[in-house]
Amino acid sequence: MWPKAWKLNKVDSKDQIALERLPRHIAIIMDGNGRWAKKRALPRSMGHRAGVEALRKVVKTCSNLGIEVLTVYAFSTENWSRPKDEVGVLMTLLTEYLRKELQELHENNVVIRAIGGINDLPQEAQRELDNSIKRTRNNTGLILNLALNYGGRSEIIDAVKKISKDVLNGKQQIEDIDEGRFSNALFTRGLPDPDLMIRTSGEMRLSNFLLWQLAYTEIVVIEELWPDFGEKALLAAIITYQKRDRRFGGIHTD
Ligand code: IPE
Ligand code: IPE
Ligand code: MG
């Protein structure tokens, strides 16, 4: 039988967390908004709205803990296949979120970044995003990295094209292409790979998220639906991460 997603124990304080061994980069697949709404006989849009609230809480907790990077999967390249109305709601929520939260994020020293096909987002969303990125550029706190119109496969193809161009114009020797060079051609250039990847709502798949970057990431799948996710669940996921034995292909010699 395949293992079921485990329920994490709730923790009441930050005490059980080893603050000196925090994940530098946490990535989250924020899944389950639709199911959350369905359970309450609400339209899916209400689930997405509730999902934004969960995001606000998680950003705050990550910032308070001193996490370096939080990457959240907000819209995938495949999500365009959803009904037009739902795509519209998601784009409006993104614009609204940035408009409403920017000031508070800025005051809390958060740096806003984005990965994905940003140029294909609606104009208004692009404008808000641009403004938020510029405004928070010189902050030094949590990097909130929004994956928007993001797909791991298209990111990799994009990187291959960039490097190929450099090969053609003589700036890049084929023999010198290594993992570091490749990482630098990805949207996540300059960021450490995620240490912990959390997916809510029990689904055991990557859904085209950070395919290159997750090579050695610890994955924690939890049953809670994204709108129900909050500080306690995040702390519990970090504690689970801290109990893992990361071997990176090696063995312990002690
Ligand atoms: C995640 O919730 C939000 C996005 C994908 C944008 P879903 O909308 O996928 O919710 P479920 O999976 O249908 O419950
Ligand atoms: C992944 O969730 C994408 C985001 C959370 C933005 P989906 O709900 O789109 O993934 P699938 O369809 O269940 O694989
Ligand atoms: Mg989903």
Side-chain angles (χ1 to χ4, degrees):
M1 213 180 93
W2 291 101
K4 240 183 114 34
W6 53 91
K7 269 215 156 56
L8 294 170
N9 293 325
K10 292 282 169 67
V11 288
D12 289 315
S13 72
K14 292 173 191 151
D15 297 349
Q16 296 173 59
I17 290 188
L19 290 170
E20 70 289 355
R21 283 191 295 109
L22 284 173
R24 291 181 66 191
H25 183 171
I26 299 177
I28 306 184
I29 301 180
M30 310 185 288
D31 196 18
N33 295 351
R35 277 162 280 179
W36 184 92
K38 195 170 180 201
K39 261 176 49 183
R40 290 163 178 76
L42 293 168
R44 289 178 62 87
S45 58
M46 295 302 283
H48 294 312
R49 242 175 220 288
V52 175
E53 287 311 304
L55 176 62
R56 291 183 60 223
K57 288 184 216 154
V58 168
V59 169
K60 198 169 161 190
T61 304
C62 284
S63 169
N64 286 341
L65 278 172
I67 302 293
E68 286 176 49
V69 190
L70 171 67
T71 297
V72 290
Y73 205 6
F75 194 87
S76 75
T77 47
E78 288 72 30
N79 288 147
W80 294 108
S81 68
R82 294 190 181 197
K84 225 174 136 202
D85 285 1
E86 181 166 347
V87 171
V89 165
L90 289 165
M91 294 302 157
T92 307
L93 282 174
L94 165 66
T95 311
E96 257 184 51
Y97 172 77
L98 293 170
R99 221 172 257 162
K100 283 194 196 151
E101 300 299 316
L102 179 59
Q103 188 56 29
E104 196 176 325
L105 290 168
H106 186 47
E107 281 165 13
N108 284 285
N109 205 16
V110 172
V111 181
I112 297 172
R113 278 183 61 160
I115 54 171
I118 304 306
N119 296 337
D120 294 322
L121 295 176
Q123 287 296 328
E124 252 206 311
Q126 282 190 52
R127 241 191 329 263
E128 285 309 319
L129 201 56
D130 249 32
N131 177 40
S132 311
I133 292 170
K134 282 198 188 111
R135 181 90 182 278
T136 60
R137 177 168 286 162
N138 296 321
N139 289 345
T140 53
L142 172 73
I143 297 174
L144 171 60
N145 190 29
L146 304 167
L148 298 163
N149 186 22
Y150 174 86
R153 287 184 171 179
S154 72
E155 179 184 37
I156 289 171
I157 290 174
D158 212 61
V160 169
K161 286 181 182 165
K162 272 185 220 159
I163 296 171
S164 305
K165 274 186 198 146
D166 281 355
V167 168
L168 280 180
N169 62 30
K171 282 192 208 156
Q172 173 74 57
Q173 296 300 308
I174 290 179
E175 306 72 50
D176 296 339
I177 301 172
D178 57 11
E179 293 185 11
R181 172 67 189 96
F182 198 82
S183 294
N184 276 335
L186 297 170
F187 295 130
T188 47
R189 177 196 171 100
L191 299 177
D193 286 338
D195 302 293
L196 166 62
M197 196 281 274
I198 301 168
R199 181 164 188 155
T200 55
S201 86
E203 237 62 80
M204 300 258 190
R205 55 175 173 262
L206 294 180
S207 302
N208 206 8
F209 190 42
L210 301 175
L211 298 180
W212 168 277
Q213 298 87 340
L214 294 178
Y216 264 104
T217 302
E218 293 299 325
I219 298 176
V220 174
V221 175
I222 70 162
E223 282 183 355
E224 236 166 358
L225 303 172
W226 175 250
D228 294 325
F229 194 86
E231 173 161 302
K232 281 184 179 177
L234 178 66
L235 297 179
I238 294 175
I239 289 169
T240 300
Y241 160 82
Q242 292 187 328
K243 287 183 183 146
R244 297 273 178 90
D245 180 16
R246 300 186 81 184
R247 291 190 291 278
F248 299 98
I251 53 165
H252 296 300
T253 48
D254 47 301

